[in-house]
Amino acid sequence: GMSRELINHIQQLRKNAGLELEDVVEVFFSEEDGLTSTEDAVARNVATFDNKFKGAIPLPSRLAPAWRVPINSDTVDVGGSKVAVAICRPSIAVVDSADKVVKDVMATLEPVNMTAGQDYKCTVDGKTFELKEGIDFWLSTVSKAKALKSLEWL
């Protein structure tokens, strides 16, 4: 029901953006205040979304990095509720406690150019930061949410 509706809306957003099947995106959604029916539907069908979108499980927008770059978005009807859905370019997700300058630097990096378990070192204003993938940053918001158990259903 609702999962199929959300899948169809995501596929339509991808199609309208001219994306190919192999193009990787992150998907975020937000529901009307007080509603969790779409999130509940995703929670019940994580494996379906994981398989359909190659790991890009739709996540609540509250988990999205501030620097996400939407490719396409729309407010759609899912199970009778209005849901804002956005497909975004993949972006690095950073631990919430990171310094602002670290977040600013990491926001400029492309996940496709990094590998799991990689260390990343940067120097800003004479201060050196050493970051480890899987602890200080992740290659996707889904990876961060899983690692930090941000959602009990993921």
Side-chain angles (χ1 to χ4, degrees):
M2 290 180 69
S3 292
R4 185 181 323 268
E5 287 180 48
L6 183 58
I7 287 170
N8 289 339
H9 289 306
I10 293 168
Q11 288 174 323
Q12 194 62 47
L13 287 171
R14 289 178 59 92
K15 180 180 176 184
N16 291 345
L19 297 177
E20 302 293 331
L21 284 175
E22 62 274 4
D23 292 329
V24 178
V25 297
E26 291 189 308
V27 181
F28 300 102
F29 65 88
S30 59
E31 302 180 77
E32 297 173 42
D33 284 344
L35 295 181
T36 61
S37 53
T38 301
E39 184 170 347
D40 295 342
V42 173
R44 287 190 305 272
N45 296 283
V46 169
T48 300
F49 284 100
D50 191 20
N51 291 334
K52 190 76 177 169
F53 299 118
K54 300 178 182 144
I57 300 162
L59 296 175
S61 293
R62 67 181 181 273
L63 300 180
W67 51 84
R68 68 187 173 275
V69 178
I71 298 169
N72 199 0
S73 63
D74 197 4
T75 299
V76 298
D77 184 81
V78 178
S81 297
K82 295 293 181 206
V83 179
V85 181
I87 56 172
C88 302
R89 286 182 51 156
S91 59
I92 299 289
V94 181
V95 67
D96 295 341
S97 61
D99 286 6
K100 183 186 179 319
V101 294
V102 169
K103 290 179 180 178
D104 291 346
V105 169
M106 299 306 283
T108 68
L109 303 178
E110 296 286 340
V112 70
N113 297 329
M114 305 190 81
T115 57
Q118 177 178 349
D119 291 340
Y120 183 78
K121 188 176 178 178
C122 63
T123 303
V124 180
D125 295 332
K127 184 174 181 183
T128 299
F129 298 92
E130 294 187 34
L131 309 168
K132 184 155 192 68
E133 192 278 329
I135 296 173
D136 302 305
F137 71 95
W138 293 265
L139 302 181
S140 72
T141 306
V142 168
S143 297
K144 177 185 177 184
K146 285 180 178 179
L148 299 182
K149 300 182 182 354
S150 301
L151 300 165
E152 64 182 42
W153 50 263
L154 190 59

